[in-house]
Amino acid sequence: MSEDSTVSNELLRLTDLRKVYKVRRRRGKITVNAVDGVSFSIGRGEKVGIIGASGCGKTTLLKMILGLAAPTSGSIEKNAAAGFVAQDPYSSLCHALTVHEIIAEPLIFTKKRRRAAECAEEVKQAMNLVNLPYDTYAARYPHQISGGERQRVSIARAMINRPGFLALDEPTSMIDYEVKASVADAITNATTQAGAAMLMVTHDIAISCALCDTLLVMDAGKIIESGKAETIMQNPQDPRTKKLVLAASDIEAYWQRAQ
């Protein structure tokens, strides 16, 4: 993310974006500022991570970017289509379709093809991006593959229409620790080969540092700190960011001791 990106280079720009909810409580309705004045931009090829604790507003922000929720105020300018990878690899895939049919869905939905059978070449290319051999996996159903493989299918499906940027919602939070690396590699390979930008929301600082060049730290609906991923990890400035980094460091130390 760079503030000096030219307009022609920008794929996404948010300006003073806000989302306010009215929540009913026993004593009446209260106002919740889920997203509170967020502004940033993403240029071509940039890899941006939005990190923060649960309830900080990052998922609401992503929903507005994807058009799944309407902003209360502010603006969203998109100059490219977005591919989307959901958090849950178990419920985000249709279990009645084969891997080939699942990945082909966006081509049929956008009327680029009429039937899944016409999409073989595009599906093969998308599966190659995420290291899933077509001959091995194309005819399988979701229940016949692992959670990490399902998430790679989701990435291939998101990339088949060659979007300008890939949006991901906690893409590694519901898969085993041992296969997170393979999913991270699939994300990196798919976006790099396609020349796509990336926007990922997560509470996992370790995975965000591995995948993202720039991090935005959210708390209570606001961006409280931003900068290069390695700078945020090595020298966080805001006390709330320091707590996130400390928690991530402790988790990494635990896994090192466990191995």
Side-chain angles (χ1 to χ4, degrees):
M1 185 196 70
S2 58
E3 292 298 329
D4 60 350
S5 298
T6 62
V7 173
S8 62
N9 190 50
E10 284 182 354
L11 301 180
L12 175 70
R13 174 170 285 275
L14 311 185
T15 304
D16 197 24
L17 198 65
R18 299 175 187 273
K19 182 64 176 179
V20 178
Y21 290 106
K22 299 291 184 179
V23 181
R24 188 180 298 278
R25 293 287 187 264
R26 286 185 177 181
R27 297 180 180 179
K29 291 184 179 180
I30 64 171
T31 299
V32 176
N33 296 310
V35 175
D36 192 3
V38 169
S39 300
F40 67 87
S41 64
I42 298 178
R44 298 184 187 281
E46 291 184 313
K47 309 291 191 291
V48 178
I50 301 176
I51 63 173
S54 296
C56 71
K58 58 186 186 294
T59 298
T60 300
L61 179 62
L62 185 62
K63 286 181 178 179
M64 288 192 287
I65 292 170
L66 294 171
L68 301 176
T72 302
S73 63
S75 65
I76 302 172
E77 299 174 48
K78 288 188 284 189
N79 297 314
F84 175 58
V85 176
Q87 179 178 6
D88 188 352
Y90 300 94
S91 63
S92 62
L93 304 180
C94 177
H95 289 251
L97 301 180
T98 65
V99 166
H100 171 95
E101 292 167 335
I102 289 168
I103 296 173
E105 277 187 296
L107 293 176
I108 298 169
F109 181 79
T110 56
K111 295 182 170 52
K112 293 180 180 178
R113 294 288 184 272
R114 291 183 302 166
R115 298 175 300 167
E118 300 172 353
C119 305
E121 190 57 39
E122 292 98 329
V123 172
K124 286 179 183 178
Q125 291 175 6
M127 292 179 70
N128 284 338
L129 288 176
V130 297
N131 196 28
L132 286 176
Y134 183 86
D135 291 341
T136 303
Y137 289 94
R140 294 186 184 182
Y141 290 87
H143 72 273
Q144 296 174 317
I145 59 179
S146 69
E149 290 166 343
R150 292 182 196 189
Q151 201 63 310
R152 283 189 276 162
V153 169
S154 295
I155 297 165
R157 177 178 61 183
M159 295 301 298
I160 196 167
N161 265 330
R162 299 187 178 277
F165 69 95
L166 180 65
L168 306 107
D169 182 14
E170 303 276 10
T172 62
S173 67
M174 296 188 69
I175 57 178
D176 294 339
Y177 184 84
E178 292 80 4
V179 300
K180 282 188 177 184
S182 67
V183 174
D185 287 344
I187 294 168
T188 299
N189 189 57
T191 53
T192 300
Q193 286 200 36
M198 184 185 74
L199 176 64
M200 179 175 68
V201 301
T202 182
H203 65 271
D204 189 332
I205 295 182
I207 200 72
S208 63
C209 285
L211 293 176
C212 303
D213 304 316
T214 301
L215 296 184
L216 309 177
V217 186
M218 281 193 77
D219 185 76
K222 296 179 180 291
I223 303 295
I224 60 171
E225 188 166 349
S226 64
K228 295 295 184 182
E230 59 184 27
T231 301
I232 295 288
M233 194 68 179
Q234 295 172 6
N235 188 29
Q237 298 300 303
D238 190 282
R240 292 163 290 183
T241 306
K242 290 179 181 179
K243 287 184 179 180
L244 289 172
V245 171
L246 179 61
S249 300
D250 287 346
I251 291 171
E252 289 298 303
Y254 168 81
W255 282 110
Q256 289 174 5
R257 290 193 300 270
Q259 291 176 350

